[in-house]
Amino acid sequence: MTIRAVVRGVGHYLPDRVVPNSEFEASLDTSDEWIRTRSGIERRHFAADGQTTSDLATRAARAALAAAEMDGADIDAIILATSTADLTFPSAATMVQNALGNSNGYAFDIQAVCAGFVFALSTANAMILSGQARRVLVIGAETFSRIMDWEDRSTCVLFGDGAGALVLEAQEGSGTTDDRGILAMDLHSDGSYRDLLYVDGGVSTQTTGRLRMEGKEVFRHAVEKLAQTAHAALDKVGLTGADVDWIVPHQANLRIITATAQRMQVPMERVVVTVQDHGNTSAASIPLALSVGVQRGQIKPGDLVVTEAIGGGLAWGAVVLRW
Ligand code: UT7
Protein backbone atom coordinates (compact mmCIF):
# COMPACT_ATOMS: atom_id res chain seq x y z
CA MET A 1 0.00 0.00 0.00
CA THR A 2 1.29 3.45 -0.91
CA ILE A 3 0.06 6.52 0.95
CA ARG A 4 -0.29 9.69 -1.12
CA ALA A 5 -0.94 13.30 -0.05
CA VAL A 6 -3.90 14.14 -2.29
CA VAL A 7 -5.41 17.60 -2.89
CA ARG A 8 -8.96 17.74 -1.52
CA GLY A 9 -9.57 21.46 -1.96
CA VAL A 10 -7.97 24.72 -3.03
CA GLY A 11 -8.88 28.36 -2.46
CA HIS A 12 -7.48 31.86 -2.45
CA TYR A 13 -8.02 35.39 -1.26
CA LEU A 14 -6.91 38.72 -2.73
CA PRO A 15 -7.31 42.03 -0.89
CA ASP A 16 -9.86 44.41 -2.40
CA ARG A 17 -7.47 47.19 -3.42
CA VAL A 18 -6.24 46.74 -7.00
CA VAL A 19 -3.30 48.90 -8.04
CA PRO A 20 -2.72 49.29 -11.80
CA ASN A 21 0.80 50.00 -13.12
CA SER A 22 -0.28 53.53 -14.02
CA GLU A 23 -0.60 54.38 -10.32
CA PHE A 24 3.22 54.27 -9.98
CA GLU A 25 3.70 56.81 -12.79
CA ALA A 26 2.78 59.69 -10.45
CA SER A 27 5.52 59.02 -7.90
CA LEU A 28 8.27 57.18 -9.83
CA ASP A 29 10.22 57.50 -13.08
CA THR A 30 8.45 54.46 -14.55
CA SER A 31 5.69 53.58 -16.98
CA ASP A 32 2.96 51.02 -17.48
CA GLU A 33 4.75 50.07 -20.71
CA TRP A 34 8.10 49.35 -18.95
CA ILE A 35 6.48 47.26 -16.22
CA ARG A 36 4.36 45.26 -18.69
CA THR A 37 7.15 44.53 -21.16
CA ARG A 38 9.90 43.77 -18.61
CA SER A 39 7.77 41.73 -16.16
CA GLY A 40 4.32 40.95 -17.63
CA ILE A 41 2.68 42.60 -14.60
CA GLU A 42 -0.39 44.80 -15.23
CA ARG A 43 -1.84 45.17 -11.73
CA ARG A 44 -1.47 43.82 -8.19
CA HIS A 45 -3.52 43.79 -4.98
CA PHE A 46 -2.42 45.56 -1.79
CA ALA A 47 -3.74 44.76 1.68
CA ALA A 48 -5.73 47.47 3.45
CA ASP A 49 -4.26 49.29 6.45
CA GLY A 50 -4.43 46.94 9.40
CA GLN A 51 -5.00 43.85 7.23
CA THR A 52 -2.32 41.29 8.11
CA THR A 53 -0.88 38.18 6.51
CA SER A 54 -2.82 35.91 8.88
CA ASP A 55 -6.06 37.69 7.86
CA LEU A 56 -5.35 36.95 4.19
CA ALA A 57 -4.27 33.39 5.04
CA THR A 58 -7.44 32.73 7.04
CA ARG A 59 -9.65 33.86 4.13
CA ALA A 60 -7.78 31.60 1.70
CA ALA A 61 -7.86 28.70 4.18
CA ARG A 62 -11.65 29.03 4.60
CA ALA A 63 -12.08 28.91 0.82
CA ALA A 64 -9.91 25.77 0.56
CA LEU A 65 -11.75 24.09 3.45
CA ALA A 66 -15.10 24.91 1.82
CA ALA A 67 -13.91 23.36 -1.45
CA ALA A 68 -12.82 20.27 0.51
CA GLU A 69 -16.16 20.22 2.39
CA MET A 70 -14.32 20.31 5.70
CA ASP A 71 -14.04 22.70 8.60
CA GLY A 72 -11.13 23.83 10.73
CA ALA A 73 -11.57 21.06 13.28
CA ASP A 74 -11.01 18.38 10.58
CA ILE A 75 -7.38 19.47 10.09
CA ASP A 76 -4.42 17.81 11.85
CA ALA A 77 -1.76 20.36 10.90
CA ILE A 78 -1.45 23.82 9.35
CA ILE A 79 1.70 24.94 7.55
CA LEU A 80 1.89 28.57 6.49
CA ALA A 81 4.64 29.62 4.10
CA THR A 82 5.39 33.31 4.57
CA SER A 83 8.21 35.83 4.92
CA THR A 84 5.84 38.55 6.15
CA ALA A 85 4.24 37.11 9.29
CA ASP A 86 2.09 39.45 11.43
CA LEU A 87 4.42 39.37 14.43
CA THR A 88 7.89 38.07 15.23
CA PHE A 89 6.04 35.40 17.20
CA PRO A 90 3.76 33.54 17.58
CA SER A 91 3.61 32.10 14.08
CA ALA A 92 0.95 33.44 11.73
CA ALA A 93 -0.09 29.79 11.31
CA THR A 94 -1.23 29.61 14.95
CA MET A 95 -3.31 32.76 14.37
CA VAL A 96 -4.97 31.06 11.42
CA GLN A 97 -5.46 27.93 13.53
CA ASN A 98 -7.28 29.98 16.18
CA ALA A 99 -9.41 31.82 13.61
CA LEU A 100 -10.45 28.48 12.10
CA GLY A 101 -11.48 27.10 15.50
CA ASN A 102 -8.89 24.33 15.42
CA SER A 103 -7.47 23.37 18.81
CA ASN A 104 -6.64 19.71 18.30
CA GLY A 105 -3.99 20.13 15.58
CA TYR A 106 -0.63 21.90 15.36
CA ALA A 107 0.44 24.87 13.26
CA PHE A 108 3.72 26.49 12.25
CA ASP A 109 5.25 28.84 9.68
CA ILE A 110 7.85 27.99 7.05
CA GLN A 111 10.15 30.61 5.57
CA ALA A 112 11.74 29.96 2.19
CA VAL A 113 10.64 33.27 0.63
CA CYS A 114 9.26 32.80 -2.92
CA ALA A 115 10.00 29.06 -2.79
CA GLY A 116 8.13 28.80 0.53
CA PHE A 117 5.05 27.04 -0.83
CA VAL A 118 7.13 24.36 -2.55
CA PHE A 119 9.00 23.75 0.74
CA ALA A 120 5.69 23.72 2.65
CA LEU A 121 4.15 21.17 0.25
CA SER A 122 7.18 18.97 0.64
CA THR A 123 7.00 19.19 4.45
CA ALA A 124 3.26 18.43 4.45
CA ASN A 125 3.88 15.44 2.20
CA ALA A 126 6.55 14.10 4.57
CA MET A 127 4.18 14.49 7.55
CA ILE A 128 1.41 12.64 5.72
CA LEU A 129 3.67 9.84 4.47
CA SER A 130 5.13 9.32 7.97
CA GLY A 131 1.65 9.06 9.49
CA GLN A 132 2.16 12.21 11.59
CA ALA A 133 -0.89 13.88 10.08
CA ARG A 134 -3.77 12.78 7.87
CA ARG A 135 -5.11 16.14 6.77
CA VAL A 136 -2.81 19.14 6.34
CA LEU A 137 -3.78 22.68 5.40
CA VAL A 138 -0.91 24.21 3.39
CA ILE A 139 -1.07 27.98 2.94
CA GLY A 140 1.06 30.58 1.19
CA ALA A 141 0.29 34.15 2.29
CA GLU A 142 2.19 37.41 2.03
CA THR A 143 1.93 41.15 2.51
CA PHE A 144 5.06 42.16 0.59
CA SER A 145 3.65 45.71 0.27
CA ARG A 146 4.87 46.13 3.89
CA ILE A 147 8.53 45.62 2.96
CA MET A 148 8.75 47.68 -0.24
CA ASP A 149 11.06 50.65 -0.66
CA TRP A 150 8.60 52.94 -2.47
CA GLU A 151 11.47 54.96 -3.90
CA ASP A 152 13.11 51.93 -5.56
CA ARG A 153 11.40 51.58 -8.95
CA SER A 154 13.35 48.39 -9.70
CA THR A 155 11.50 46.46 -6.95
CA CYS A 156 8.35 48.21 -5.68
CA VAL A 157 6.43 47.82 -8.95
CA LEU A 158 6.90 44.04 -8.95
CA PHE A 159 5.28 42.72 -5.79
CA GLY A 160 1.73 42.27 -4.47
CA ASP A 161 -0.24 40.82 -1.55
CA GLY A 162 -2.44 37.72 -1.46
CA ALA A 163 -2.95 34.20 -0.17
CA GLY A 164 -3.73 30.71 -1.44
CA ALA A 165 -4.33 27.42 0.33
CA LEU A 166 -4.62 23.68 -0.30
CA VAL A 167 -6.06 20.90 1.82
CA LEU A 168 -4.02 17.70 1.50
CA GLU A 169 -5.34 14.36 2.72
CA ALA A 170 -3.76 10.92 3.09
CA GLN A 171 -5.25 8.51 0.58
CA GLU A 172 -4.22 5.07 -0.60
CA GLY A 173 -2.55 4.88 -3.99
CA SER A 174 -1.22 2.11 -6.20
CA GLY A 175 2.38 3.33 -6.09
CA THR A 176 2.44 4.39 -9.76
CA THR A 177 2.49 7.87 -11.31
CA ASP A 178 -1.20 7.37 -12.15
CA ASP A 179 -1.97 8.00 -8.48
CA ARG A 180 -3.47 11.30 -7.48
CA GLY A 181 -1.39 13.30 -5.01
CA ILE A 182 2.21 14.41 -4.58
CA LEU A 183 4.52 12.20 -6.63
CA ALA A 184 7.96 13.80 -6.39
CA MET A 185 9.89 16.87 -5.33
CA ASP A 186 13.30 18.47 -5.60
CA LEU A 187 14.53 21.14 -3.16
CA HIS A 188 17.66 23.31 -3.05
CA SER A 189 19.15 26.33 -1.38
CA ASP A 190 22.50 28.08 -1.59
CA GLY A 191 23.15 30.72 1.05
CA SER A 192 26.17 32.09 -0.82
CA TYR A 193 23.66 34.05 -2.96
CA ARG A 194 22.29 35.94 0.06
CA ASP A 195 23.04 39.38 -1.38
CA LEU A 196 21.01 38.87 -4.57
CA LEU A 197 17.65 39.10 -2.83
CA TYR A 198 17.12 40.01 0.82
CA VAL A 199 15.45 42.34 3.30
CA ASP A 200 17.97 44.69 4.89
CA GLY A 201 16.53 44.38 8.38
CA GLY A 202 15.06 41.90 10.85
CA VAL A 203 14.51 41.21 14.52
CA SER A 204 18.12 40.72 15.48
CA THR A 205 19.13 43.96 13.73
CA GLN A 206 16.21 45.73 15.47
CA THR A 207 14.78 47.08 12.21
CA THR A 208 12.07 45.94 9.82
CA GLY A 209 14.03 46.54 6.65
CA ARG A 210 13.12 46.80 2.97
CA LEU A 211 13.42 44.36 0.09
CA ARG A 212 16.61 44.61 -1.98
CA MET A 213 17.15 42.71 -5.22
CA GLU A 214 19.76 42.36 -7.94
CA GLY A 215 17.01 41.73 -10.47
CA LYS A 216 19.19 40.82 -13.45
CA GLU A 217 21.21 38.26 -11.47
CA VAL A 218 18.10 36.68 -9.91
CA PHE A 219 16.59 36.51 -13.40
CA ARG A 220 19.66 34.65 -14.69
CA HIS A 221 19.54 32.10 -11.84
CA ALA A 222 15.79 31.67 -12.24
CA VAL A 223 15.96 30.84 -15.93
CA GLU A 224 18.72 28.30 -15.32
CA LYS A 225 17.56 26.70 -12.06
CA LEU A 226 13.77 26.45 -12.46
CA ALA A 227 13.81 24.17 -15.50
CA GLN A 228 16.63 22.14 -13.89
CA THR A 229 14.71 21.55 -10.65
CA ALA A 230 11.45 20.78 -12.49
CA HIS A 231 13.26 18.23 -14.67
CA ALA A 232 14.97 16.72 -11.62
CA ALA A 233 11.64 16.25 -9.84
CA LEU A 234 10.01 14.70 -12.94
CA ASP A 235 13.04 12.47 -13.47
CA LYS A 236 12.66 10.93 -10.00
CA VAL A 237 9.40 9.30 -11.13
CA GLY A 238 10.36 8.65 -14.76
CA LEU A 239 8.29 11.50 -16.25
CA THR A 240 9.23 14.26 -18.73
CA GLY A 241 7.86 17.60 -19.91
CA ALA A 242 5.74 15.68 -22.44
CA ASP A 243 3.75 14.12 -19.55
CA VAL A 244 2.95 17.49 -17.96
CA ASP A 245 -0.59 18.86 -18.26
CA TRP A 246 0.11 22.10 -16.39
CA ILE A 247 3.16 23.98 -15.24
CA VAL A 248 2.09 26.18 -12.33
CA PRO A 249 5.16 28.36 -11.87
CA HIS A 250 6.05 30.96 -9.29
CA GLN A 251 4.67 34.17 -10.79
CA ALA A 252 7.57 36.65 -10.72
CA ASN A 253 8.12 37.57 -14.35
CA LEU A 254 6.41 36.45 -17.56
CA ARG A 255 9.78 36.28 -19.32
CA ILE A 256 11.06 33.78 -16.70
CA ILE A 257 7.84 31.75 -16.96
CA THR A 258 8.13 31.61 -20.76
CA ALA A 259 11.83 30.73 -20.76
CA THR A 260 11.28 27.93 -18.24
CA ALA A 261 8.39 26.47 -20.24
CA GLN A 262 10.56 26.57 -23.37
CA ARG A 263 13.39 24.74 -21.61
CA MET A 264 10.89 22.13 -20.42
CA GLN A 265 9.48 21.87 -23.95
CA VAL A 266 5.99 22.58 -22.63
CA PRO A 267 3.87 24.98 -24.77
CA MET A 268 2.53 28.12 -23.06
CA GLU A 269 -1.03 26.77 -23.53
CA ARG A 270 -0.16 24.38 -20.71
CA VAL A 271 1.17 27.01 -18.29
CA VAL A 272 -1.03 28.76 -15.70
CA VAL A 273 -0.17 32.47 -15.82
CA THR A 274 -1.55 34.93 -13.26
CA VAL A 275 1.40 37.34 -12.95
CA GLN A 276 -0.46 40.02 -14.95
CA ASP A 277 -3.15 40.24 -12.26
CA HIS A 278 -1.25 39.48 -9.03
CA GLY A 279 2.35 40.61 -9.54
CA ASN A 280 4.87 38.65 -7.48
CA THR A 281 3.18 37.50 -4.27
CA SER A 282 6.17 35.44 -3.12
CA ALA A 283 5.05 32.27 -1.25
CA ALA A 284 1.41 32.97 -2.12
CA SER A 285 1.92 32.95 -5.88
CA ILE A 286 1.76 29.19 -6.52
CA PRO A 287 -1.33 28.41 -4.41
CA LEU A 288 -2.99 31.52 -5.88
CA ALA A 289 -2.23 30.28 -9.39
CA LEU A 290 -3.42 26.75 -8.55
CA SER A 291 -6.70 28.12 -7.25
CA VAL A 292 -7.21 30.47 -10.20
CA GLY A 293 -6.21 27.66 -12.59
CA VAL A 294 -8.97 25.45 -11.14
CA GLN A 295 -11.46 28.33 -11.17
CA ARG A 296 -10.70 29.01 -14.86
CA GLY A 297 -11.32 25.33 -15.68
CA GLN A 298 -7.67 24.80 -16.66
CA ILE A 299 -6.58 22.29 -13.96
CA LYS A 300 -8.84 19.23 -13.68
CA PRO A 301 -8.75 16.09 -11.50
CA GLY A 302 -6.16 13.65 -12.86
CA ASP A 303 -3.99 16.34 -14.50
CA LEU A 304 -0.22 16.14 -13.96
CA VAL A 305 0.91 19.45 -12.43
CA VAL A 306 4.46 20.70 -11.91
CA THR A 307 5.06 23.67 -9.60
CA GLU A 308 8.44 25.41 -9.45
CA ALA A 309 9.77 28.46 -7.61
CA ILE A 310 12.93 30.37 -6.72
CA GLY A 311 13.55 33.23 -4.34
CA GLY A 312 15.68 34.73 -1.59
CA GLY A 313 18.40 32.50 -0.21
CA LEU A 314 18.61 31.59 -2.94
CA ALA A 315 16.13 28.78 -2.28
CA TRP A 316 14.41 26.90 -5.09
CA GLY A 317 12.58 23.70 -5.88
CA ALA A 318 9.76 21.89 -7.66
CA VAL A 319 6.89 19.56 -6.77
CA VAL A 320 5.18 17.13 -9.15
CA LEU A 321 1.63 16.16 -8.26
CA ARG A 322 -1.38 14.62 -9.92
CA TRP A 323 -4.42 16.82 -9.23
O1 UT7 B 1 10.40 36.17 -6.71
C1 UT7 B 1 11.77 36.09 -6.52
C2 UT7 B 1 12.44 36.00 -7.77
N1 UT7 B 1 12.51 37.31 -8.40
C3 UT7 B 1 12.57 37.36 -9.70
O2 UT7 B 1 12.47 36.35 -10.33
C4 UT7 B 1 12.83 38.68 -10.35
C5 UT7 B 1 13.90 38.48 -11.38
N2 UT7 B 1 14.23 39.66 -12.13
C6 UT7 B 1 13.38 40.29 -12.97
O3 UT7 B 1 12.24 39.93 -13.08
C7 UT7 B 1 13.92 41.39 -13.87
O4 UT7 B 1 15.33 41.41 -13.76
C8 UT7 B 1 13.36 42.78 -13.51
C9 UT7 B 1 11.90 42.88 -13.93
C10 UT7 B 1 13.49 43.04 -12.03
C11 UT7 B 1 14.14 43.86 -14.29
O5 UT7 B 1 14.13 43.59 -15.67
P1 UT7 B 1 15.49 43.68 -16.51
O6 UT7 B 1 15.14 43.47 -17.90
O7 UT7 B 1 16.46 42.73 -15.88
O8 UT7 B 1 15.89 45.19 -16.31
P2 UT7 B 1 17.21 45.79 -15.66
O9 UT7 B 1 17.23 45.56 -14.18
O10 UT7 B 1 18.39 45.35 -16.45
O11 UT7 B 1 16.98 47.32 -15.94
C12 UT7 B 1 16.96 47.84 -17.27
C13 UT7 B 1 16.78 49.34 -17.17
C14 UT7 B 1 17.73 50.01 -16.21
O12 UT7 B 1 18.11 51.25 -16.75
P3 UT7 B 1 19.52 51.43 -17.48
O13 UT7 B 1 20.55 51.08 -16.44
O14 UT7 B 1 19.49 50.46 -18.63
O15 UT7 B 1 19.50 52.87 -17.89
C15 UT7 B 1 16.90 50.24 -14.97
O16 UT7 B 1 17.35 51.32 -14.19
O17 UT7 B 1 15.46 49.63 -16.69
C16 UT7 B 1 15.57 50.53 -15.57
N3 UT7 B 1 14.45 50.27 -14.67
C17 UT7 B 1 13.24 50.81 -14.84
N4 UT7 B 1 12.75 51.67 -15.76
C18 UT7 B 1 11.47 52.03 -15.65
C19 UT7 B 1 14.42 49.46 -13.59
N5 UT7 B 1 13.21 49.48 -13.05
C20 UT7 B 1 12.45 50.31 -13.79
C21 UT7 B 1 11.11 50.73 -13.73
N6 UT7 B 1 10.67 51.58 -14.68
N7 UT7 B 1 10.24 50.31 -12.78
Side-chain angles (χ1 to χ4, degrees), residues 231 241-242 260-267 270:
H231 274 138
T260 304
Q262 255 165 17
R263 285 181 178 224
M264 290 179 67
Q265 296 183 305
V266 173
R270 291 199 269 128

Side-chain angles (χ1 to χ4, degrees), residues 28-50:
L28 290 169
D29 180 14
T30 190
S31 64
D32 173 47
E33 208 260 331
W34 189 95
I35 301 168
R36 264 172 210 261
T37 51
R38 303 317 292 164
S39 72
I41 297 164
E42 297 172 21
R43 61 193 71 80
R44 74 287 291 137
H45 294 245
F46 284 156
D49 284 348

